[in-house]
Amino acid sequence: MTKGNLFAALRAAFPADLDQVAIETADPGRPLYYTWRDLERGSAMLANLLASLRLPAHSRVAVQVEKSVEALMLYLAVLRAGHVYLPLNNAYQAAEIEYFIGNAEPAVVVCSSRNFGWISKLAFKAGTRNVFTLDDDRSGSLLERAACHGDQHHPVRRGSDDLAAILYTSGTTGRSKGAMLTHGNLLSNALVLKDYWGWRTPEQGGDVLVHALPIFHVHGLFVASHGALLNGSKMIWFSRFDPKAVIARLPEATVFMGVPTLYVRILAESALTPAACASMRLFISGSAPLLLETFNDWKTRSGHTILERYGMSETIMLTSNPYRPESARRGGTVGMPLPGVGLRVNDDKGEPVATDEIGGIQVKGPNVFKGYWRMPEKTADEFTPDLWFKTGDVGRVDADGYVTIVGRSKDLIISGGYNVYPAEIEGYLNDMPGVAESAVIGVPHADFGEAVVAVVVARPGAAPDGPALTAALKAQIANFKVPKALFVVPELPRNAMGKVQKNLLREQHQGLFKA
Ligand code: MLC
Ligand code: AMP
């Protein structure tokens, strides 16, 4: 088990010459260059600000801000200060934020200045004393306050079992659960990936990562950022994904990570050619299933084979296709369990299935989270008696050890790499005037992989208006959860037991968004 504060390990990997560029911003306008020294000093000043607040050890710091390098420094500062980072998708609205703040009881909340009015009200009501603002143009009260603090800071001592971050993931029923990740979970996984994906240190010729993912989820915050930081590699930093702009920067880069939607959008650009990708070493995809068609098209258009891997908020990375040889990467599979990760496929009775047989995927390893924040029963439900974590994914392992994910036992939609839980959306719809009941399903979507679709039944005598229901949802929940289509129908299909047959609804609507 890896010991110590994760920040100390990341910091130890910074290049000896701290004046080299660590991050170059790639948004329209003049680029900004951040050196390794800037990351060191900026995160030290923020850590000293946190220390000056005299917070209890292991306090939660909840952050809902636009993507910026300063937001990454804040993450590093929270690690340095020994507190617990709680990143929040910036699409979340008041009801969602109120729940997270109420549940996690953060000592500090950091938000965009445009949201300060409503977020600070929610935070103060929940007992949070410190609310700061941070904007993506290097302004806000957080940086103003940090500027008054020194730029030297020794990372607080933390053991591998101490919490580093809480990531909320939606529950199949009820509210979101906070997955507690420790310093040891994050560092052990980052070290395995550094080796497995052949990261090249500056002495070995170096890597340059195009970072175009949000930094409030495992993929952009941990897999991508830790990969570059732990290897002393430069990042070309996009605050928003823009396919044309990304292609324009590939000739300076060697590594790219994306959810399948990013690959689909880049493929739509004629500028994607083998020449544009000539300097690239590795394209990695994950967070949602990569269609075989995308995998094959990418090979033809870029000359590279995408390496698909599989992970979760609760476990960080679990499996990966091989790095070498490139020909061993198999489309439609998520590769083999990473070194140190145990993976087994069990049937409903808890018995292991035979090679190539389908069952529930269960995992074990130093990367597996500590449990759900303040939900011991839910945590216990998700582990087997012999302490394997039940992923909720359904798959099989072939004779060569490659894992294929064939579905999910959890009722989950993954749209553009974001998770949407039907029960949550159905709850909002069922509370709306004129709605008797609803069923929310995921259907194939050419851009987002899956799209959210709602099927609603009216109360007797009522005639709810579809667009009005969609507009009402949009006012309450994150926009990526809002159904892309909503149908009002006389009744939902049910089986003999009275259970809604979502599979029939999926079949009925499967052609809605196909290209
Ligand atoms: C945006 N919209 C989405 C959406 N993203 N709708 C459904 N699903 C999504 N993912 C909405 C917008 O609100 C807007 O609605 C409309 O779709 C068009 O927006 P857009 O401008 O095209 O969206 P864009 O800003 O370009 O965002 C698309 C995206 C983004 C693909 C770049 O969704 C994204 O960055 N996804 C990556 C998610 C991610 O990092 N996941 C990792 C999870 S970690 P309207 O109505 O407002 O017009 C994990 C573990 C692991 O799963 O294994 O990695
Ligand atoms: P999250 O809760 O956001 O961390 O999402 C984790 C889920 O994303 C997993 O349980 C899988 O269902 C899904 N997932 C991640 N990577 C892949 C992949 N490469 N292929 C298919 N599904 C994936």
Side-chain angles (χ1 to χ4, degrees), residues 259-276:
V259 301
T261 300
L262 270 52
Y263 286 96
V264 169
R265 290 188 182 185
I266 295 175
L267 276 168
E269 299 295 331
S270 58
L272 178 72
T273 58

Side-chain angles (χ1 to χ4, degrees), residues 169 217-218 285-290 308-314 334 391 393 405 408 410 412 414 417 419 421:
T169 77
H217 282 308
V218 159
S285 174
S287 309
L290 180 76
E308 185 171 4
R309 65 21 168 218
Y310 156 58
M312 295 181 76
S313 301
E314 287 93 334
V334 295
T391 62
D393 292 307
I405 296 173
R408 300 168 203 132
K410 50 196 176 191
L412 160 71
I414 305 184
N419 291 1
Y421 278 80

